[in-house]
Amino acid sequence: MKTRRRPLGIPTRVKRFLESDDPRAGWVRDALWVVGVVAGIALLLFLASGTWPAVVAVESESMVPNMNVGDLVFVAAFDRYGELTSWEEGEATGYVRFGDSPDLQGNQVYGDVIIFRPNGDDAVHPIIHRAISWYDDNTTASGYITKGDNNPSVDQVAYYPTLGQIQPVREEWIVGKAIFRIPLVGYFPLHIVEFAIVIIILMVVWEWYSRRREAEKEAEKDEESRSAEKKAASKGKGAKKNGSGKKSPSTKK
């Protein structure tokens, strides 16, 4: 009667996977490590910012020169780290973020820069522009008037493809406000597909190189072991020959 084998438990399967020498298992482990690191960073960013996405990349020149294409901008919820301040409010107090240079019209800029979804549409990329003032007409159309520092007019007189005229930005449409930026780093998320392909290729090449080095080291060890065995065998044969050639001392009677 055949005994039924007990199925392997999850801990055993995980251990075998982690210790496997199969190249495919190695690639999967590397990919999981990358995903884990990215997920950990994303979680930390979310906890610190209180919103998602916690970072955005500048894609257009509408905020030049205070923000440039390829800048990676860190975002926080609009009511975190201080209340959201519009240009109108900031001008009265002297508060400004990203205001090193004047706008297209030569005016000193004030207030916060916000990231928002035009007309609340989640299907389009968010816009990153400065909050100019709060427009309140006691209807659902109330919201922030916004403008890019490098644009000739406010967004609410412009038309967005597929959306029509941009409406005043309601609070629920705001992803967050810009906190600080890192130049050029935003090119990575703007070219995420190309970047991912490069990372995967590098991982495969590194895995191949590591295994080749291991194989070469094993070959060297085998060669050294065979050489040592040959030397030992040669010494043994030499000792036998020397022993057989000795004469036993004669005794005198």
Side-chain angles (χ1 to χ4, degrees):
M1 181 177 178
K2 293 183 178 180
T3 57
R4 299 180 63 183
R5 297 178 61 183
R6 295 180 59 186
L8 296 176
I10 293 178
T12 303
R13 291 176 182 272
V14 171
K15 184 179 179 180
R16 287 190 177 183
F17 169 73
L18 294 176
E19 296 176 351
S20 174
D21 292 330
D22 189 331
R24 291 171 297 181
W27 298 336
V28 173
R29 287 195 299 267
D30 291 341
L32 290 175
W33 182 84
V34 172
V35 171
V37 170
V38 172
I41 294 173
L43 178 60
L44 291 176
L45 287 173
F46 174 74
L47 293 176
S49 67
T51 188
W52 192 260
V55 292
V56 296
V58 178
E59 302 180 39
S60 73
E61 298 180 347
S62 63
M63 287 294 293
V64 170
N66 293 312
M67 288 182 175
N68 297 291
V69 175
D71 287 353
L72 188 70
V73 180
F74 286 76
V75 183
F78 71 86
D79 56 352
R80 183 170 289 200
Y81 308 121
E83 295 295 325
L84 173 59
T85 302
S86 67
W87 177 316
E88 190 176 74
E89 296 165 333
E91 189 173 10
T93 61
Y95 172 84
V96 60
R97 276 190 183 274
F98 308 99
D100 295 335
S101 301
D103 65 4
L104 182 65
Q105 291 74 32
N107 302 312
Q108 168 61 46
V109 296
Y110 294 97
D112 280 311
V113 175
I114 62 173
I115 297 88
F116 64 93
R117 302 191 184 280
N119 294 2
D121 195 328
D122 294 332
V124 298
H125 285 188
I127 293 175
I128 178 167
H129 281 174
R130 198 172 299 275
I132 303 301
S133 62
W134 177 261
Y135 171 76
D136 192 352
D137 66 350
N138 296 319
T139 69
T140 56
S142 299
Y144 282 100
I145 304 299
T146 54
K147 177 182 177 295
D149 292 351
N150 197 38
N151 286 352
S153 59
V154 298
D155 300 328
Q156 284 63 38
V157 299
Y159 283 82
Y160 195 98
T162 73
L163 294 180
Q165 186 171 1
I166 298 178
Q167 302 298 316
V169 182
R170 305 177 194 175
E171 288 189 349
E172 59 266 30
W173 298 349
I174 300 175
V175 175
K177 59 186 177 185
I179 302 300
F180 65 93
R181 68 186 179 95
I182 302 178
L184 304 178
V185 181
Y187 278 112
F188 290 115
L190 288 177
H191 300 278
I192 189 63
V193 175
E194 297 92 332
F195 182 64
I197 292 173
V198 171
I199 292 295
I200 291 171
I201 292 174
L202 290 176
M203 287 170 56
V204 171
V205 171
W206 175 252
E207 186 70 22
W208 171 81
Y209 174 76
S210 300
R211 292 188 178 277
R212 182 178 177 182
R213 288 292 299 161
E214 289 177 4
E216 290 175 351
K217 288 180 180 178
E218 289 295 329
E220 289 174 1
K221 288 181 181 179
D222 291 342
E223 184 64 28
E224 290 174 358
S225 178
R226 285 193 293 269
S227 298
E229 289 176 357
K230 287 180 180 179
K231 288 180 181 179
S234 298
K235 288 181 180 179
K237 288 180 181 179
K240 286 181 181 180
K241 288 180 180 179
N242 291 334
S244 60
K246 287 183 179 179
K247 297 182 178 179
S248 59
S250 59
T251 57
K252 293 182 178 181
K253 294 183 178 179

